Amino acid sequence: LRTDATDMRLLMLEALTDPSLGAGRTGRAYNGNAVLDHIAVEAVSVADPARREPVDLTWAWADYEQENGDYRVVNALTKGEGRQWAVRSHEVEGMRTALFAAAKPFGFAGGTELRVTLHYHSPYANHIFGRVRLTPMQASEQALAQLPPAVSGWYIAGPFFGEPRAGYGVEYGPEKETAFRRGARFRAGEQEDGWRYAPGVIDGQVVGLAASVGSELLARQIYAPTARKLELSMGSDDGLVMYLNGRKVHENQSDRAPAPDQDRVSLDLVPGENFLVCKVVNTGGGAGFYSRMVPREGEFAREMLALVAGDDRVRPAAADAARNGWRVRFSPSYMTAQREIERVAAERAQLLASTPKTMVMREMGSPRETFVHMRGLYDQADKNRPVTRAVPKVLGSLPEGAPRNRLGLAQWLVSDANPITARVVVNRVWEQFFGNGIVRTSDDFGLQGEWPTHPELLDSLAVRFREGGWDMRALVRDIVTSATYRQSSRVRTEVAVADPGNRLLSYYPRQRLAAEQIRDQALYVAGVLVERPGGPSVKPYQPEGLWQEVAMLQSNTRVYQQGMGDDLWRRSMYTYWKRAAPPPTMLTFDAPTREFCTTKRMVTNTPLQALVLWNDPQFVEAARMAAERTIRGQQDDRARVVELYRRATGTTPSDALVDRMLGTLADTRARYAAHPEDADKLLDVGEAQSSAEIAAPELAAWTMLANAVLSSDATIVKD
């Protein structure tokens, strides 16, 4: 790109991303769901090509950013962090436009050649911009001062547990840092954590944090096109300490509940990237956080920046939003009309809230006549044998005074007159801990099923469960604290002869963990399991193209769009489940397909399970992160091996086993020292960034050892 201007400050990028346009000039097809990892610009003098200088881009804006992850346009200002600007054009039509501001004017007298490099590090080869148009633009300091700051998403680390108020005096690491490092790790005593993307932290909303005594750290990047002051409205539960570019700028040690606008904090921003860290210290009870940027007088709202690019250069929706934003800010008549609309909308909402809602289901005024069906045929009712609502006489009768409807049936199900419900629940819980229930045919609890191996025990637990208020926690406590549960799984010869099926529970029955437990345990040992409850389903690692093999062409779940960040490490119960193509890792470890109700899982032992544990990206990545955690935790190899084994199995390894593990470690060290390219390939598995502080051969050697531990019988089998 050539230009004669010498005082350029902005660069506009327009991307054509419509997949129907075919191949670009590169000869490669390009997909609408494009991502941009990094943009780099170099200015070269036309008159003297030896004169060249990089253009430092310090601010960015885009008319669209993909919403379901950390895909903001400011990510294109960073390099090597694995964050991208994503545009989602395969679902939202239209071109995409971005503006980038430089730290200082660029351009040479006599003409300038701009060399712009767009970096793509997407796992999907065609997720690139097929055609782009670049326009350098001039802008004065006054114009740049009207641009609003650009911000990254929020990232969070912790919680770091400790005594109440102790967090005010502890520095966990990022407080002194002047720039954001996505892969940074922080320690507080025995605790270690790093940054993870926090999509739930939304500006202008009070959000909950971990309800535990300790501290959590929240951070984001703020990009300013010029030096300026930025005022923030903050709130927290409890205290709040803030750092900007490694310097403390605010501290409030109040014990309080979170609310908007509790603190006003003024920040002195430098041009370009500013690193903001907020430490929330919780002294007890719930925890929360609130943040909102207060607009400066004369500063454009973010949505108004489409006017800078021009209506014909941005998506129509962005242009409309810009014009509306301008009207709201500068048109008194428009603002008056807008307030009237909001008043009417509030009245309508109040009216709807006070209007009684229609019940989805309710009892009929007169129950429908029902008769005995001849031989069970629904179309051959015997009109001479009417029946009324009741339970089968062999099972008793409804409680006296109970209504003859669903409510009465529900009351009977949990009444003293019906012992079946409590027995079935107790039997199912017992089966979860021992592999078999007291009634082994848990899917057939009737006369045709097996007789209880310990009927008195079943009755006793059922009665205590029912009379204790159906307390599941108490039931689980009774089972796991019993001598039966805590006994060894070692099988004595004389016992095996007398009780080959272990019906007498003479030893603890060894059993492999369930599919979800194996995955969650690996992530927990790695220190990355996201235990936050609730939220939408997520899509972790899965073989590429699997859904397309079984989906119809018109299916809205034909393409599996893998999640990023925390989505990869959430508990398995939140994994998106497509019944026609369930997660293959789960199926390998005997999870049901969920096409029909399954009361009891079968347990198999196949070579494919070992293949998954050794090669699935989820487990390889977990092993690498467990290895990093282990290396940082101890200084001595023997102590590291013991810590890794104990963290995975809950037991201390014998000296002989430690020696074998150290021997394996020595072998893998030698292998990767001789072939460092193999170490790089191993560490490249997964989306998480490897630590740059640990040599690749050393980390790869520990990764192989951690993978062996996570795949071992001692880890995946409960005994």
Side-chain angles (χ1 to χ4, degrees), residues 341-358:
I341 292 174
E342 293 172 355
R343 184 190 65 79
V344 173
E347 288 183 0
R348 179 177 182 273
Q350 184 177 3
L351 179 62
L352 292 176
S354 61
T355 301
K357 294 179 175 61
T358 302

Side-chain angles (χ1 to χ4, degrees), residues 246-447:
R247 184 175 60 86
K248 183 189 294 186
V249 294
H250 174 75
E251 182 170 13
N252 188 334
Q253 297 192 14
S254 300
D255 293 340
R256 61 190 181 182
D261 307 324
Q262 290 176 311
D263 296 334
R264 283 295 183 100
V265 183
S266 181
L267 305 180
D268 291 318
L269 301 182
V270 300
E273 179 183 357
N274 294 263
F275 183 40
L276 176 66
V277 177
C278 302
K279 178 164 62 177
V280 178
V281 181
N282 185 27
T283 59
F289 179 73
Y290 174 87
S291 176
R292 177 177 63 87
M293 291 193 299
V294 180
R296 290 189 310 149
E297 184 67 28
E299 184 177 270
F300 282 11
R302 176 174 173 77
E303 64 271 11
M304 293 166 53
L305 295 183
L307 299 174
V308 176
D311 286 0
D312 59 333
R313 299 290 185 90
V314 296
R315 297 168 50 248
D320 291 342
R323 286 190 291 269
N324 288 338
W326 183 273
R327 295 187 187 107
V328 169
R329 180 75 68 87
F330 300 109
S331 173
S333 60
Y334 184 88
M335 294 173 64
T336 301
Q338 184 68 26
R339 284 193 292 267
E340 180 64 17
I341 292 174
E342 293 172 355
R343 184 190 65 79
V344 173
E347 288 183 0
R348 179 177 182 273
Q350 184 177 3
L351 179 62
L352 292 176
S354 61
T355 301
K357 294 179 175 61
T358 302
M359 295 180 62
V360 175
M361 180 182 293
R362 67 179 178 184
E363 293 292 333
M364 298 175 61
S366 298
R368 182 181 294 108
E369 288 186 325
T370 306
F371 305 91
V372 173
H373 293 161
M374 300 297 292
R375 303 183 63 85
L377 298 176
Y378 71 92
D379 59 346
Q380 295 188 23
D382 186 349
K383 300 293 184 178
N384 296 320
R385 300 173 65 187
V387 293
T388 58
R389 296 174 175 179
V391 298
K393 289 184 178 180
V394 70
L395 299 178
S397 60
L398 294 175
E400 185 178 352
R404 282 345 190 223
N405 54 25
R406 293 180 182 85
L407 176 59
L409 177 63
Q411 293 172 347
W412 173 79
L413 283 174
V414 295
S415 69
D416 295 350
N418 174 34
I420 298 178
T421 303
R423 283 175 172 166
V424 170
V425 173
V426 165
N427 194 66
R428 293 292 302 277
V429 174
W430 186 274
E431 183 179 81
Q432 289 182 4
F433 288 104
F434 289 94
N436 286 302
I438 301 174
V439 175
R440 293 203 167 194
T441 55
S442 57
D443 53 347
D444 188 354
F445 211 78
L447 289 175

Side-chain angles (χ1 to χ4, degrees), residues 396-598:
S397 60
L398 294 175
E400 185 178 352
R404 282 345 190 223
N405 54 25
R406 293 180 182 85
L407 176 59
L409 177 63
Q411 293 172 347
W412 173 79
L413 283 174
V414 295
S415 69
D416 295 350
N418 174 34
I420 298 178
T421 303
R423 283 175 172 166
V424 170
V425 173
V426 165
N427 194 66
R428 293 292 302 277
V429 174
W430 186 274
E431 183 179 81
Q432 289 182 4
F433 288 104
F434 289 94
N436 286 302
I438 301 174
V439 175
R440 293 203 167 194
T441 55
S442 57
D443 53 347
D444 188 354
F445 211 78
L447 289 175
Q448 298 188 22
E450 284 197 25
W451 191 255
T453 57
H454 300 76
E456 295 85 358
L457 173 61
L458 179 61
D459 286 347
S460 175
L461 288 174
V463 171
R464 291 177 62 181
F465 178 55
R466 186 189 65 205
E467 295 182 350
W470 306 87
D471 189 341
M472 292 291 292
R473 185 184 294 272
L475 173 61
V476 170
R477 185 186 301 113
D478 285 345
I479 294 175
V480 300
T481 57
S482 66
T484 304
Y485 181 80
R486 291 182 291 159
Q487 64 184 335
S488 171
S489 61
R490 184 173 63 87
V491 182
R492 291 169 292 168
T493 305
E494 63 276 14
V495 172
V497 173
D499 183 22
N502 196 26
R503 292 178 176 272
L504 301 179
L505 295 173
S506 50
Y507 55 88
Y508 181 80
R510 299 178 77 249
Q511 51 186 303
R512 197 206 66 212
L513 299 180
E516 295 87 349
Q517 294 170 330
I518 291 174
R519 178 180 175 275
D520 289 358
Q521 176 173 260
L523 296 177
Y524 183 83
V525 172
V528 298
L529 179 65
V530 179
E531 300 185 69
R532 182 182 69 254
S537 298
V538 296
K539 296 177 181 177
Y541 301 107
Q542 180 170 293
E544 186 173 353
L546 184 62
W547 280 12
Q548 293 172 269
E549 293 295 325
V550 300
M552 294 181 290
L553 292 176
Q554 67 272 23
S555 172
N556 62 351
T557 58
R558 177 172 171 77
V559 178
Y560 185 87
Q561 185 65 44
Q562 177 185 299
M564 299 292 290
D566 284 0
D567 285 2
L568 300 175
W569 308 305
R570 293 217 67 189
R571 293 174 60 192
S572 299
M573 66 181 296
Y574 296 108
T575 297
Y576 188 96
W577 204 280
K578 180 183 173 83
R579 284 186 298 174
T585 297
M586 300 293 186
L587 292 187
T588 303
F589 287 99
D590 308 313
T593 61
R594 300 188 186 179
E595 292 176 295
F596 49 84
C597 178
T598 303

Side-chain angles (χ1 to χ4, degrees), residues 214-258:
S215 303
E216 283 192 88
L217 302 167
L218 298 100
R220 77 179 339 173
Q221 295 152 291
I222 304 175
Y223 294 88
T226 60
R228 65 184 63 191
K229 286 188 176 293
L230 173 63
E231 188 171 5
L232 296 180
S233 172
M234 308 296 297
S236 63
D237 182 353
D238 291 294
L240 177 66
V241 188
M242 298 174 60
Y243 302 83
L244 180 67
N245 299 331
R247 184 175 60 86
K248 183 189 294 186
V249 294
H250 174 75
E251 182 170 13
N252 188 334
Q253 297 192 14
S254 300
D255 293 340
R256 61 190 181 182

Side-chain angles (χ1 to χ4, degrees), residues 13-15 17 33-39 60-66 70-78 82-88 95-100 118-120 127 129 132 302:
L13 182 151
E14 301 164 75
T17 58
N33 189 21
V35 297
L36 177 60
D37 185 80
H38 178 61
I39 180 172
W61 169 88
D63 64 350
Y64 186 84
E65 299 163 328
Q66 187 169 323
D70 184 16
Y71 297 123
R72 304 194 183 198
V73 69
V74 294
N75 293 340
L77 300 176
T78 63
R83 296 187 293 166
Q84 301 94 16
W85 171 39
V87 299
R88 197 185 167 200
M95 62 186 299
R96 299 294 185 263
T97 301
L99 294 173
F100 297 92
L118 305 180
H119 295 264
Y120 300 97
H127 284 195
F129 294 134
V132 296
R302 176 174 173 77

